[in-house]
């Protein structure tokens, strides 16, 4: 009989009761769990073991959860589910823009966290099983711009780099993957890995405004990212895929 490999979850939280509760519940539901109370412990575990997903409390005592999130995303593609306070809306937005995959506000039920973990793992597995040719894609080219998918850099034809946040990169990549096709906000939220609730549905509009300022000649009369009122957005230019 083939042994099923359990996904390995790393829980990073400075509250020992929460760590114990989550370990017991997730293990009962066929997940392997490691625990860390600090960023240093987290890095030590990541250096020694393969981890499939990180549950990260942004309010670790004496540490900057945003800095940890940024460091994780700069060095790896391990999915991240953030834990935040009820009132920490700004933290949630920033964390998602830095590349976190989902969030949960405290207090929360372990059952809901388990559902979020499974959803993110399914999405990650689905992305990993994409056709080989799609994996080989190097960049999208449109007008005078080239978006490199491997370096996550946007450049003009003259070599000038345009700084993008993780959120802006994910949004632009989602639009370029479906040029001249209307995408609903839900479709953009899913493909750009932003959590789909009312708050972050509105944040798509904010990110579009920021992205327009970086690629449009006149952001008030956009040529590339066109608004389809009541529906979503359309990338209104031919796009070349580079391999």
């Amino acid at each position: 009989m083939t042994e099923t490999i359990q996904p390995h979850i790393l829980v990073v939280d400075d509250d020992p009761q929460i760590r114990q509760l989550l370990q017991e519940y997730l293990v009962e539901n066929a997940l392997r769990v490691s625990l860390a109370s600090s960023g240093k412990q987290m890095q030590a575990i990541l250096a020694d073991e393969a981890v499939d997903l990180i549950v990260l409390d942004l309010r670790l005592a004496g540490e900057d959860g945003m800095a940890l999130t940024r460091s994780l995303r700069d060095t790896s593609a391990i999915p991240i589910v953030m834990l935040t306070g009820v009132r920490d809306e700004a933290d949630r937005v920033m964390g998602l823009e830095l590349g976190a995959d989902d969030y949960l506000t405290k207090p929360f039920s372990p059952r809901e966290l388990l559902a979020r973990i499974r959803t993110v793992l399914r999405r990650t597995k689905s992305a990993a099983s994409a056709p080989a040719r799609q994996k080989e894609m190097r960049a999208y080219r449109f007008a005078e711009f080239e978006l490199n998918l491997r370096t996550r850099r946007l450049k003009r034809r003259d070599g000038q780099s345009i700084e993008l946040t993780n959120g802006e990169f994910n949004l632009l990549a989602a639009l370029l993957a479906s040029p001249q096709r209307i995408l609903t906000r839900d479709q953009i939220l899913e493909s750009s890995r932003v959590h789909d609730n009312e708050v972050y549905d509105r944040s798509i509009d904010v990110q579009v405004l920021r992205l327009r300022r970086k690629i449009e000649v006149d952001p008030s009369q956009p040529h590339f990212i066109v608004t389809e009122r009541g529906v979503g957005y359309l990338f209104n230019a031919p796009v070349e895929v580079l391999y």
Side-chain angles (χ1 to χ4, degrees):
M1 182 179 296
T2 302
E3 182 180 357
T4 301
I5 298 176
Q6 294 177 312
H8 185 191
I9 311 302
L10 173 56
V11 175
V12 187
D13 197 299
D14 58 3
D15 187 325
Q17 291 184 331
I18 290 180
R19 291 200 304 272
Q20 182 178 355
L21 172 66
L22 294 183
Q23 182 179 39
E24 292 175 355
Y25 187 82
L26 296 177
V27 168
E28 287 175 359
N29 285 275
L31 295 172
R32 178 186 168 208
V33 179
S34 293
L35 303 176
S37 61
S38 66
K40 184 176 181 180
Q41 288 185 4
M42 175 188 74
Q43 294 296 350
I45 292 171
L46 291 174
D48 289 339
E49 302 188 55
V51 171
D52 296 295
L53 183 144
I54 298 172
V55 177
L56 175 63
D57 182 7
L58 292 187
R59 295 293 184 180
L60 294 174
E63 296 190 75
D64 185 348
M66 289 303 166
L68 291 177
T69 302
R70 184 183 296 109
S71 176
L72 283 168
R73 192 48 72 235
D74 285 345
T75 57
S76 78
I78 300 173
I80 302 169
V81 175
M82 304 179 298
L83 303 180
T84 71
V86 174
R87 305 180 194 279
D88 297 337
E89 180 179 317
D91 283 353
R92 294 195 293 273
V93 172
M94 184 177 295
L96 291 167
E97 288 187 347
L98 288 173
D101 296 80
D102 205 343
Y103 78 91
L104 203 57
T105 56
K106 293 183 175 181
F108 59 86
S109 73
R111 182 177 180 181
E112 183 177 3
L113 176 61
L114 176 63
R116 298 292 179 92
I117 288 173
R118 285 175 171 168
T119 297
V120 173
L121 288 175
R122 278 197 304 269
R123 190 164 64 220
T124 304
K125 183 178 180 180
S126 175
S129 61
R133 187 156 174 79
Q134 184 174 351
K135 290 182 183 179
E136 294 170 2
M137 286 171 53
R138 183 177 82 250
Y140 290 116
R141 181 179 291 159
F142 65 98
E144 61 179 300
F145 299 96
E146 184 174 302
L147 184 71
N148 192 305
L149 302 177
R150 298 175 184 175
T151 63
R152 299 175 70 87
R153 302 293 183 191
L154 178 66
K155 287 188 175 183
R156 296 182 185 273
R157 190 172 298 162
D158 60 9
Q160 178 187 356
S161 293
I162 300 170
E163 292 295 326
L164 297 178
T165 65
N166 276 329
E168 290 164 353
F169 171 85
N170 291 337
L171 172 61
L172 182 56
L175 292 169
L176 295 178
S178 301
Q180 298 176 321
R181 172 186 162 202
I182 298 173
L183 296 178
T184 67
R185 286 174 175 79
D186 284 344
Q187 289 172 321
I188 295 174
L189 287 163
E190 178 64 24
S191 58
S192 60
R193 301 192 315 162
V194 180
H195 181 62
D196 57 343
N197 70 8
E198 182 182 357
V199 174
Y200 298 108
D201 182 75
R202 291 198 301 269
S203 81
I204 288 291
D205 300 329
V206 175
Q207 298 239 30
V208 166
L209 289 174
R210 292 174 180 170
L211 191 52
R212 281 172 172 164
R213 293 187 190 120
K214 296 182 177 183
I215 66 173
E216 301 281 3
V217 174
D218 182 357
S220 65
Q221 297 187 18
H223 169 71
F224 294 124
I225 306 176
V226 178
T227 302
E228 296 292 333
R229 294 196 177 278
V231 183
Y233 294 96
L234 175 146
F235 193 83
N236 189 35
V239 175
E240 180 185 0
V241 177
L242 306 180
Y243 292 96

